[in-house]
Amino acid sequence: MNVYDSARMAEILAPLGYAPGDDPEDADMVILNTCHIREKASDKVYSELGRLRKIKDARAENGHQTVIAVAGCVAQAEGEEMLRRAPYVDIVLGPQTYHRLPEMVARAHRASAAGNRAGGVLETDFPVESKFDHFPPKRSETGVSAFLSIQEGCDKFCTFCVVPYTRGAEFSRPVAQIVAEAESLVAGGVRELTLLGQNVNAYHGLDDGGHEIGLGPLARRLAEIDGLARIRYTTSHPRDVDDDLIAAHGDLDALMPCLHLPVQSGSDRILEAMNRGHDVESYLRTIEKLRAARPDLAFSCDFIVGFPAESDTDFEATLDLIRKVEYAQAYSFKYSSRPGTPAANMALQVPEDVKDERLARLQALLMEQMNVFNETSLGTTFDVLFERLGRHEGQLVGRSPYNQAVHVTAPGYAVGDMASVFVETCKTHSLGGVLIEDGRPVPDPRAEERLSA
Ligand code: SAH
Ligand code: SF4
């Protein structure tokens, strides 16, 4: 979501003459877009700011001004404290105020011109107006695959999580606004959309008739857009998988057959302490229903190990759940205590070495499952959407329906094309294959050269 937000900030600043750059040493303004979800991410912000301060001072010696802005959830959580701790920061802005950025930049320039070093601009309220109503309607992004935020915020209040405090209450964008943004992306060459939301399947936006619709019907509407080949969405919550969404997975070719459905833990006791609002049985039932609608659906997941009071038995239950589901991919984290969340004050915090040991065992099992999943791709044929050029001449790199990177020698094809590919090789992070045309493999000229050599 921060990638999406950063792109939108760039778009809203374009009329002021700003364009994205590569090097902070040449930049008139640097925006750090920050994440507060775990302690490690947050800690990085101040060390990065220290580095930017040096650049700002060096540029000032040469007569150049540098505006430093901190956006995102650390900005939201720290607010005024950040301006105190790092007074060289000019702007601190929370995730729901990005549309006000041009005005904030003007204020920062005025403060600086007046020599007012204590004039840092702070915008961390949750405005009544939606930033999405103020972003430019046309997207300037180029590329084959793009993110599109359809929902933000969360009302679920899992006891470990900062999102409801930093991103605010759950909000769904209206259908027409999403469709218009999707159409402008597709007109610019985008062929794959990843719909984003902290709880993307809690989506309940208004359609043109003023009725609320869920993610399933929204996916159906987007699938009608000519030229849009693939739709993905993330992150879903197990409680919000409804029958409409399950049916959409069965009916829509454009809806890719992989689903990120975080469970966090395989122990009912821990799920309850986390306030997840579902148990293991209901999670497994949801997976079963989805697999019944779309048998080739693959699942990915998030796990937290070492939540307060997690016992060996609880942890073993998580491993059992993983063995039952058989994931294609997963992210896993050590529980990180976040200030202001209920779990931070819970008794029986788990020692770091126990978390380390559990994480290593969990990741070993998940890695095994990921390898098995990738190996099952061997000898199969699927569509690959080419995203970029490969390192060798004539080689393109694309994505399988399951989001695996696939390397193919495909002369005559271009980025943005889709081709049928037979998978021949499998490494940890990528697959290799040959083109299939008219039902037959197209020989790879490089392989032939190697053979004759
Ligand atoms: N809405 C999604 C998750 C969004 S946060 C859901 O409910 O599943 C992304 C992931 O970060 C979470 O799935 C969780 O695994 C991890 N995470 C969030 N807070 C955390 C914390 N305090 N410590 C460790 N991991 C955390
Ligand atoms: Fe955080 Fe997801 Fe729980 Fe919301 S549902 S509080 S975003 S973990």
Side-chain angles (χ1 to χ4, degrees):
M1 189 167 279
N2 272 7
V3 172
Y4 174 85
D5 286 343
S6 298
R8 311 280 7 226
M9 283 191 261
E11 280 163 7
I12 205 157
L13 288 170
L16 275 69
Y18 289 100
D22 297 322
D23 186 357
E25 293 183 27
D26 294 331
D28 298 315
M29 170 155 63
V30 178
I31 305 177
L32 265 194
N33 198 1
T34 62
C35 175
H36 197 52
I37 197 88
R38 283 173 295 277
E39 197 176 357
K40 236 191 197 148
S42 289
D43 283 353
K44 275 199 232 158
V45 175
Y46 283 101
S47 57
E48 194 60 27
L49 280 176
R51 207 171 66 87
L52 290 175
R53 174 193 205 164
K54 287 198 188 109
I55 293 174
K56 179 171 179 145
D57 289 347
R59 279 173 51 86
E61 276 173 28
N62 296 321
H64 299 301
Q65 198 198 349
T66 315
V67 174
I68 299 182
V70 183
C73 290
V74 179
Q76 183 67 40
E78 299 251 317
E80 197 122 24
E81 174 62 18
M82 179 165 274
L83 287 175
R84 238 193 323 270
R85 210 171 138 185
Y88 48 90
V89 168
D90 300 281
I91 301 171
V92 171
L93 71 161
Q96 304 310 341
T97 66
Y98 297 156
H99 56 298
R100 295 182 180 169
L101 199 46
E103 177 204 320
M104 291 181 226
V105 173
R107 274 162 60 200
H109 277 300
R110 277 201 300 275
S112 157
N116 179 7
R117 276 314 312 134
V121 177
L122 179 69
E123 287 267 6
T124 49
D125 52 352
F126 292 106
V128 281
E129 80 273 14
S130 152
K131 63 183 172 189
F132 294 107
D133 295 341
H134 297 266
F135 285 147
K138 285 230 161 24
R139 297 279 302 274
S140 56
E141 215 153 317
T142 53
V144 174
S145 182
F147 292 129
L148 201 174
S149 279
I150 63 166
Q151 179 277 343
E152 251 195 88
C154 182
D155 296 338
K156 293 211 166 49
F157 291 91
C158 298
T159 52
F160 53 81
C161 184
V162 288
V163 167
Y165 310 97
T166 56
R167 286 270 169 182
E170 202 172 306
F171 164 79
S172 293
R173 296 177 68 187
V175 176
Q177 200 180 64
I178 294 167
V179 170
E181 193 172 322
E183 283 173 343
S184 95
L185 284 164
V186 173
V190 166
R191 301 209 61 200
E192 172 181 278
L193 282 180
T194 302
L195 311 178
L196 299 179
Q198 267 85 37
N199 265 302
V200 73
N201 58 336
Y203 178 79
H204 56 101
L206 293 180
D207 68 9
D208 291 343
H211 304 107
E212 275 189 1
I213 68 163
L215 182 59
L218 178 70
R220 283 180 200 274
R221 174 67 192 85
L222 292 171
E224 289 168 6
I225 298 176
D226 231 13
L228 180 62
R230 291 181 163 184
I231 302 170
R232 306 180 186 276
Y233 60 91
T234 199
T235 294
S236 328
H237 194 288
R239 256 165 70 188
D240 295 322
V241 178
D242 61 17
D243 289 345
D244 278 350
L245 184 58
I246 295 175
H249 272 285
D251 296 341
L252 296 178
D253 286 338
L255 201 51
M256 289 296 97
C258 52
L259 180 49
H260 188 63
L261 198 60
V263 69
Q264 316 297 355
S265 167
S267 155
D268 283 342
R269 204 175 70 87
I270 297 295
L271 288 174
E272 193 171 348
M274 286 177 164
N275 190 32
R276 288 291 289 178
H278 63 82
D279 57 13
V280 170
E281 198 195 319
S282 61
Y283 178 78
L284 289 173
R285 221 176 19 244
T286 301
I287 293 221
E288 212 173 280
K289 280 199 223 162
L290 281 157
R291 279 187 167 142
R294 179 89 202 229
D296 60 348
L297 200 58
F299 289 91
S300 59
C301 199
D302 291 345
F303 296 95
I304 295 178
V305 300
F307 184 81
E310 184 189 67
S311 66
D312 283 341
T313 315
D314 295 318
F315 175 64
E316 291 298 333
T318 302
L319 297 181
D320 279 347
L321 172 70
I322 294 172
R323 288 188 198 102
K324 277 190 192 126
V325 176
E326 299 182 339
Y327 291 97
Q329 231 257 322
Y331 301 97
S332 44
F333 314 99
K334 288 191 283 181
Y335 167 70
S336 167
S337 169
R338 307 310 291 126
T341 59
N345 300 321
M346 285 181 186
L348 302 174
Q349 297 282 327
V350 175
E352 257 337 270
D353 57 335
V354 176
K355 287 188 202 168
D356 284 333
E357 191 254 339
R358 287 182 188 163
L359 187 67
R361 283 183 61 203
L362 183 105
Q363 290 186 336
L365 176 60
L366 290 167
M367 182 59 90
E368 223 173 85
Q369 295 196 342
M370 188 178 93
N371 287 336
V372 168
F373 179 77
N374 284 342
E375 276 161 20
T376 57
S377 308
L378 280 174
T380 62
T381 299
F382 46 49
D383 285 340
V384 171
L385 175 61
F386 294 123
E387 284 187 351
R388 61 183 169 89
L389 299 178
R391 266 186 300 161
H392 307 291
E393 203 183 320
Q395 192 188 48
L396 288 169
V397 186
R399 295 270 163 190
S400 76
Y402 300 104
N403 224 2
Q404 299 145 297
V406 191
H407 297 248
V408 190
T409 303
Y413 282 80
V415 167
D417 288 344
M418 183 105 82
S420 191
V421 171
F422 177 78
V423 181
E424 281 190 324
T425 58
C426 160
K427 294 189 201 152
T428 311
H429 296 291
S430 68
L431 305 173
V434 291
L435 288 176
I436 300 284
E437 278 174 3
D438 303 325
R440 272 201 300 268
V442 181
D444 176 351
R446 283 194 313 119
E448 306 231 311
E449 268 165 38
R450 276 199 302 274
L451 274 180
S452 58

